[in-house]
Amino acid sequence: MSSPTFSLCIYCGSRPGTDPGFAATARQIGQWIGEHGGQLVYGGGRGGLMGMVADATLAAGGRVVGIIPKALVEKEWAHHGCSELHVVDTMHERKRLMAERADAFLALPGGIGTFEEFFEVWTWRQLGYHDKPVGLLNLNGYYDGLMSFIATAVQSQFMGPWQEKLVRVDPDWRSLVKALVQEAGMAPEAIADAV
């Protein structure tokens, strides 16, 4: 395969969740990445939404870069079918490599690990450590409570509205993924007309 047209880092659950829409959407996003010549960068697991998005990307002809700490190789069942699988020593190294290999970041539904990775990359953007787009997929209202809490933080003046606007939030994965890839400046003509 030639060089990928874009590289999207996805944070998501190592479990499937209770809503079947979460799994279906993870697979659709992976398929979209592969069909559009893209590369998935993710946490390297084969369980839950993580494994689903990776498998779908690979099945559609895309590249998958998995990055997983040694301590989680067994716990998260490392996905040995990745185009590249990097086993690293620490979570800090994992997140650094994921950030370096990505053009944009997207959080799907997930748990505490997803939250932590999403908040860190958002924080890095507001501090100027990177200027890559960050997205939050509010699928079926999963992140409604979080968005309400963030609005409270802005109202309480612990955050500014400009910080809130550093994250693109959308319930529609198609419009969100296309917007992130376009904002990152990757293959804008091809992506603009993509379904």
Side-chain angles (χ1 to χ4, degrees):
M1 181 181 169
S2 58
S3 295
T5 54
F6 62 89
S7 186
L8 181 62
C9 179
I10 293 186
Y11 306 123
C12 60
S14 59
R15 299 177 183 183
T18 56
D19 184 337
F22 297 163
T25 299
R27 290 186 183 104
Q28 290 168 339
I29 292 172
Q31 182 177 350
W32 191 94
I33 292 169
E35 288 176 349
H36 293 90
Q39 174 173 273
L40 167 68
V41 177
Y42 85 119
R46 64 181 172 126
L49 301 185
M50 293 174 74
M52 293 173 195
V53 72
D55 287 341
T57 302
L58 290 166
R63 285 186 47 79
V64 173
V65 177
I67 304 168
I68 190 167
K70 288 178 191 172
L72 295 181
V73 168
E74 292 301 322
K75 189 173 185 179
E76 290 188 357
W77 297 21
H79 194 313
H80 294 286
C82 292
S83 311
E84 297 176 36
L85 180 64
H86 301 272
V87 178
V88 297
D89 291 325
T90 67
M91 286 293 288
H92 291 293
E93 191 177 359
R94 177 197 221 182
K95 292 183 293 181
R96 179 185 59 79
L97 278 175
M98 289 169 77
E100 287 175 0
R101 297 293 299 267
D103 300 314
F105 307 92
L106 173 61
L108 306 186
I112 192 167
T114 301
F115 307 154
E116 192 269 339
E117 290 168 324
F118 164 72
F119 276 111
E120 183 168 78
V121 81
W122 183 9
T123 301
W124 288 354
R125 188 173 191 196
Q126 71 127 12
L127 292 173
Y129 293 157
H130 73 82
D131 193 30
K132 300 174 182 180
V134 178
L136 184 70
L137 181 61
N138 191 18
L139 185 60
N140 299 339
Y142 183 75
Y143 285 114
D144 282 352
L146 175 62
M147 299 318 299
S148 176
F149 177 72
I150 289 169
T152 297
V154 172
Q155 290 165 4
S156 300
Q157 298 185 7
F158 286 106
M159 287 176 61
W162 69 273
Q163 293 164 303
E164 188 177 17
K165 291 175 183 171
L166 292 175
V167 174
R168 185 182 293 270
V169 183
D170 198 323
D172 179 355
W173 74 263
R174 288 175 182 85
S175 61
L176 181 55
V177 170
K178 285 198 291 186
L180 292 173
V181 171
Q182 285 181 302
E183 189 180 334
M186 302 294 116
E189 298 81 14
I191 300 303
D193 299 324
V195 176

